[in-house]
Amino acid sequence: MTAIPSPTITLNSGHDIPQLGFGVFKVDPDETERIVSDALEVGYRHLDTAKIYGNEAGVGRAIAKSGIAREELFVTTKLWNDDQTDPEGAFQRSLEELGLDYVDLYLIHWPVAERGTYVDAWKGLQAIAESGRARSVGVSNFQPKHLDAILAEGGILPAVNQVELHPAFQQWELRDYLGPKGIHVESWGPLGQGKYELNELPGLQGIADAHGKSVQQVAIRWHLQEGLIVFPKSSSKERIAQNADVFDFELSDDELDVIRKADQNRRVGGHPDEIN
Ligand SMILES: NC(=O)c1ccc[n+]([C@@H]2O[C@H](COP(=O)([O-])OP(=O)(O)OC[C@H]3O[C@@H](n4cnc5c(N)ncnc54)[C@H](OP(=O)(O)O)[C@@H]3O)[C@@H](O)[C@H]2O)c1
């Protein structure tokens, strides 16, 4: 099985992450093994799951069946909100579900700031990183105020912040805050979770037509050229393959600019202050 020619990004932990991966949010646990096997066959080597998705075991079975060497894979999972008071226990359960002895990246899924537990949870993730069982650790859905709170404690810098980011919601303010700190941005919902039509955005269909690609492929290419880490989800093998077929064209500076101007500050998922 040949890997897709995804570039890699070196995280501040020193570890490399394939910039294009495969996400499994809302992939039915009963279908996860088959769908992740399809993704591995297409050539994805970076998988993004979470305890709350309920499908870590299916991801693990697909990995085991694939015969792909562990070091060729990059696996991310996440600490669920209810487990912030016991990151070590939750992490061990995730490893068991996945059937792995380490993950490449472990993230705090949401700050759930009202609970007042994320700073201690972050200390737990640092201990896990120091033990080598997570090669890198990071956060998800953190705003600058949450990052400021964990950075004030010192210790390991989060490798990434995984946030909602797509052409209609480009998160420039947050990206400008994270960039100088060396914290990489991962885009969740990179296709807007299918909650709006990408071709509603001015210029996107024209760019897609000019390259003989779909608007989804243009969006994925845009994330890559913006330096973002991206892992679109699909349950269809055809679309899984389509989403990886983005390495034979390049968006021009003018096209990148057209997409940049299509930003509508339009969230399709939950606001971090409202998830508690
Ligand atoms: N940290 C967080 O809080 C958080 C939150 C959400 C997601 N995530 C992660 O980010 C990953 C990606 O985000 P997401 O799954 O929410 O949304 P997404 O990847 O933006 O969109 C997935 C939707 O787009 C459709 N789709 C995929 N490829 C397509 C194509 N080529 N043409 C047309 N439609 C296409 C899929 O339908 P089909 O399946 O029918 O193809 C599905 O409905 C997740 O799987 C998860 O790993 C993290």
Side-chain angles (χ1 to χ4, degrees):
M1 290 197 284
T2 314
I4 55 171
S6 171
T8 55
I9 286 182
T10 303
L11 301 173
N12 60 31
S13 58
H15 294 283
D16 288 345
I17 183 170
Q19 203 183 350
L20 179 61
F22 183 69
V24 296
F25 178 45
K26 295 212 166 148
V27 174
D28 186 330
D30 293 336
E31 291 188 283
T32 302
E33 181 181 337
R34 176 181 60 79
I35 290 170
V36 172
S37 297
D38 284 348
L40 293 172
E41 199 178 304
V42 163
Y44 292 83
R45 294 293 179 265
H46 163 188
L47 303 170
D48 184 276
T49 185
K51 187 260 177 141
I52 196 66
Y53 303 167
N55 55 22
E56 290 171 308
V59 171
R61 283 195 299 274
I63 290 172
K65 252 182 50 183
S66 73
I68 298 168
R70 177 66 185 90
E71 61 271 19
E72 286 176 27
L73 293 168
F74 191 102
V75 181
T76 300
T77 193
K78 311 183 192 93
L79 175 72
W80 185 238
N81 304 343
D82 297 340
D83 296 327
Q84 282 195 1
T85 50
D86 181 22
E88 173 59 32
F91 180 71
Q92 276 305 334
R93 289 191 290 279
S94 282
L95 280 186
E96 278 159 32
E97 287 288 303
L98 286 160
L100 298 176
D101 52 16
Y102 74 92
V103 299
D104 295 280
L105 181 60
Y106 194 47
L107 306 180
I108 298 182
H109 206 143
W110 292 89
V112 288
E114 271 177 29
R115 302 191 192 192
T117 49
Y118 73 86
V119 174
D120 281 342
W122 177 244
K123 291 179 189 158
L125 262 67
Q126 295 189 48
I128 291 166
E130 278 155 9
S131 77
R133 291 167 300 150
R135 297 283 196 252
S136 304
V137 286
V139 296
S140 177
N141 300 301
F142 273 41
Q143 296 174 277
K145 59 188 175 188
H146 308 121
L147 282 152
D148 287 342
I150 61 169
L151 295 181
E153 299 289 320
I156 297 176
L157 197 62
V160 305
N161 187 13
Q162 182 179 123
V163 295
E164 178 181 343
L165 202 159
H166 43 87
F169 190 63
Q170 298 185 19
Q171 295 260 35
W172 283 103
E173 212 176 303
L174 184 61
R175 288 160 70 183
D176 287 344
Y177 166 92
L178 294 167
K181 295 187 160 49
I183 301 172
H184 279 281
V185 181
E186 295 195 328
S187 307
W188 67 250
L191 307 174
Q193 297 191 313
K195 290 183 179 165
Y196 64 89
E197 298 296 332
L198 286 164
N199 60 12
E200 281 170 23
L201 302 180
L204 256 76
Q205 189 63 57
I207 295 172
D209 292 345
H211 291 282
K213 293 285 180 181
S214 69
V215 282
Q216 287 79 14
Q217 288 171 310
V218 167
I220 293 164
R221 185 75 213 173
W222 171 79
H223 287 275
L224 295 174
Q225 288 187 226
E226 288 285 356
L228 302 160
I229 298 161
V230 62
F231 26 84
K233 170 264 175 187
S234 178
S235 294
S236 128
K237 190 166 186 188
E238 191 190 332
R239 288 189 288 279
I240 290 172
Q242 183 195 123
N243 294 345
D245 181 17
V246 292
F247 298 106
D248 59 354
F249 74 111
E250 195 166 345
L251 300 171
S252 67
D253 288 344
D254 286 349
E255 289 169 330
L256 290 172
D257 206 40
V258 167
I259 301 175
R260 195 175 274 219
K261 290 195 174 101
D263 192 5
Q264 302 177 340
N265 198 26
R266 177 174 171 188
R267 238 180 234 285
V268 299
H271 190 290
D273 285 339
E274 284 158 15
I275 307 285
N276 261 295

